[in-house]
Amino acid sequence: MARADTRLIHGKHRTEKWDYDHHVIPPITASTAFRLDSADRGQQGFVDFANPKAAARAMNPIYIYDRLDEPTVGMLEDLVREAEGGECAVAFACGMAAISASLMVTGRAGSNVVAHRTMYGCTFSLMSNWMPRFGLSARFVDASDRGALLAAVDEKTRAVYLETPANPTMECLDLAAIRSTLADVNARRGPKDQVVVIVDNTFATPWGQRPLSLGADIVVASLTKNVGGFGIDLGGMVVAPERFLKSFRGYRKDFGGVLPPHSAWNFMVYGLPTLPIRLARQMESAAKVSAFLEAHPRVARVSWPGLESFPWKEVAKRQLVDPEGRFCPGSMIYFEVAGDLDESRARCARVVDHIAENAYSVTLAVSLGMTKTLIEAPGLMTHSALDACTQSVAGIHPGGIRLSLGLEAADDVIADLAAALDRC
Ligand SMILES: *Cc1c(COP(=O)(O)O)cnc(C)c1O
């Protein structure tokens, strides 16, 4: 079998989803509905949809309507499923659609999810503002603390939800340890009542980390970020055991949130094939930029998994590896501007404003994992759904800055950062 980076370019090469043996680049479809040759074939299509495991064995799947299943999106699902090493994959319109699907499919009214306290702001908002309206509650804990995790899990817990590395602090959680903490709980439960571990793999990407091989049951991810890589499409993916396929597809059929085929095609043609080389370049820059930041007197702390000073280095070295086994510390840096809380907050705003007004190669914007280097202040922007106290518990400093390295020359990025830091 070809190496993993080669397979991200060629995929399976042939697909039972569609006859495109003579296309060098996979075709893209723009039909929302599909002609059904007979009432029998139409009926069989709905039967197959309700039994996707059996249907997956068929060489000629029956397509009905885009919200149920779609050939271009299906090819992307195959590619990401293989890259994550999972049994099935279901694509969604964006990361949040995939994340909400994972929580709704595993949850029930009256149940709870136990979540690590540091996470993407909208996921936190979903769990704290929306899920309770439907009788689903979330408990935020330090999941690296075995006692705290066990104390939060009860008979109503259906899922443990984690981000590793966490947005924005880069904290890495030991998935094998969390799995073993839950082993006793799960040993007392039937196969249908197992507490499942859901991991958001957006930061690392399937090139940098495969959570399913480390102890997770379900991976969710935003393809919008480094998998897409060019900042032109929103997308999301769930990769799960086969037993969840019917639920995730049924959920997408009835709640919506489908990925447009054109976006799937961009992820497949531009995003995934270039992911390893983009990440390699971004990581080279991240190494130089984090070393520069660490040496700067106006910077109090730098968090990048490739630094010797990284607090979760041992876990990172084990979990953040590419399919060839090489350490893959990633393209995201989090750092804190020096000073007491008020001073640090004020300086952070000045750094970011200086960049917004003067920098050429660093852009003030949310999102991450693009060709362009992006900077933002999580406390003021992406994580503002968390109040000051919750931010502090989550390790988000008022003077914290998140940097997503792009493909520019590292020296240009450093020059822009130096200019801003020297004047703050
Ligand atoms: C951006 C992001 C999401 C949400 O993804 P969208 O595609 O914007 O919906 C979820 N988790 C993490 C870690 C993210 O960075």
Side-chain angles (χ1 to χ4, degrees):
M1 182 136 116
R3 265 174 38 172
D5 41 3
T6 305
R7 293 187 65 77
L8 283 178
I9 296 166
H10 289 272
K12 287 197 296 189
H13 189 63
R14 281 163 197 269
T15 175
E16 60 282 359
K17 298 266 159 76
W18 204 356
D19 173 12
Y20 73 110
D21 271 3
H22 298 94
H23 288 66
V24 173
I25 296 298
I28 178 172
T29 174
S31 178
T32 53
F34 296 81
R35 186 165 60 84
L36 298 159
D37 302 327
S38 63
D40 265 0
R41 188 170 156 84
Q43 186 187 19
Q44 188 59 42
F46 282 96
V47 170
D48 287 356
F49 180 78
N51 189 4
K53 203 170 171 178
R57 290 194 290 267
M59 279 307 283
N60 291 307
I62 304 170
Y63 292 105
I64 301 167
Y65 187 65
D66 267 18
R67 189 153 35 70
L68 278 62
D69 192 10
E70 199 282 332
T72 304
V73 173
M75 287 190 280
L76 175 73
E77 288 169 340
D78 282 348
L79 208 52
V80 175
R81 177 189 57 69
E82 183 182 307
E84 289 284 3
E87 290 177 5
C88 69
V90 180
F92 285 90
C94 64
M96 286 316 303
I99 290 166
S100 53
S102 75
L103 295 168
M104 298 288 270
V105 161
T106 55
R108 301 285 178 272
S111 74
N112 66 66
V113 55
V114 174
H116 183 61
R117 60 197 182 184
T118 309
M119 65 173 81
Y120 181 61
C122 299
T123 309
F124 180 81
S125 173
L126 169 69
M127 288 184 184
S128 47
N129 295 325
W130 293 99
M131 283 174 28
R133 294 195 190 190
F134 305 99
L136 281 150
S137 60
R139 300 168 173 184
F140 302 102
V141 299
D142 175 359
S144 70
D145 178 339
R146 188 185 155 84
L149 183 59
L150 277 178
V153 171
D154 65 15
E155 70 283 0
K156 298 276 174 60
T157 304
R158 312 266 319 183
V160 168
Y161 186 94
L162 314 162
E163 267 176 36
T164 179
N167 184 350
T169 59
M170 304 303 292
E171 177 177 7
C172 292
L173 295 166
D174 187 335
L175 294 177
I178 289 167
R179 172 104 251 156
S180 85
T181 300
L182 294 173
D184 285 347
V185 177
N186 277 334
R188 292 191 296 271
R189 294 181 175 214
K192 288 202 166 140
D193 297 321
Q194 298 284 301
V195 178
V196 293
V197 177
I198 304 172
V199 173
D200 181 335
N201 200 30
T202 302
F203 264 36
T205 81
W207 184 257
Q209 174 176 263
R210 283 138 325 275
L212 299 176
S213 73
L214 298 164
D217 297 291
I218 295 178
V219 163
V220 291
S222 169
L223 306 178
T224 314
K225 314 294 172 54
N226 230 342
V227 168
F230 294 87
I232 52 172
D233 291 283
L234 291 169
M237 191 70 79
V238 174
V239 185
E242 186 81 48
R243 69 190 148 95
F244 285 105
L245 177 59
K246 195 173 161 179
S247 299
F248 279 111
R249 282 202 175 190
Y251 176 93
R252 185 177 63 183
K253 173 175 83 67
D254 296 342
F255 282 78
V258 297
L259 181 68
H262 193 270
S263 300
W265 189 82
N266 284 341
F267 293 132
M268 207 169 15
V269 173
Y270 298 109
L272 285 164
T274 61
L275 176 62
I277 54 166
R278 284 187 287 106
L279 258 176
R281 165 80 172 192
Q282 290 165 346
M283 287 193 289
E284 232 175 79
S285 292
K288 290 180 187 156
V289 171
S290 60
F292 157 78
L293 289 170
E294 210 167 35
H296 200 286
R298 287 276 160 84
V299 175
R301 202 172 77 82
V302 185
S303 184
W304 181 60
L307 286 173
E308 275 310 304
S309 60
F310 186 64
W312 306 279
K313 199 175 61 190
E314 184 265 327
V315 179
K317 288 233 158 99
R318 215 164 357 101
Q319 296 188 163
L320 295 173
V321 289
D322 72 17
E324 303 284 316
R326 288 169 299 220
F327 183 39
C328 199
S331 57
M332 300 299 298
I333 298 174
Y334 175 75
F335 66 99
E336 290 165 11
V337 180
D340 62 35
L341 285 188
D342 288 335
E343 195 181 11
S344 175
R345 183 189 292 112
R347 276 187 176 159
C348 159
R350 287 205 294 275
V351 168
V352 164
D353 283 343
H354 189 276
I355 298 245
E357 280 167 39
N358 305 290
Y360 177 73
S361 50
V362 182
T363 307
L364 172 59
V366 300
S367 201
L368 55 105
M370 276 174 53
T371 49
K372 298 185 177 188
T373 295
L374 306 179
I375 197 168
E376 67 113 6
L380 305 172
M381 300 175 193
T382 47
H383 291 70
S384 53
L386 286 69
D387 62 33
C389 172
T390 313
Q391 282 188 10
S392 155
V393 172
I396 302 167
H397 194 269
I401 292 182
R402 192 184 77 181
L403 198 59
S404 162
L405 272 303
L407 302 180
E408 304 91 342
D411 288 348
D412 290 325
V413 173
I414 289 171
D416 278 336
L417 291 171
L421 284 166
D422 291 346
R423 279 167 195 75
C424 76

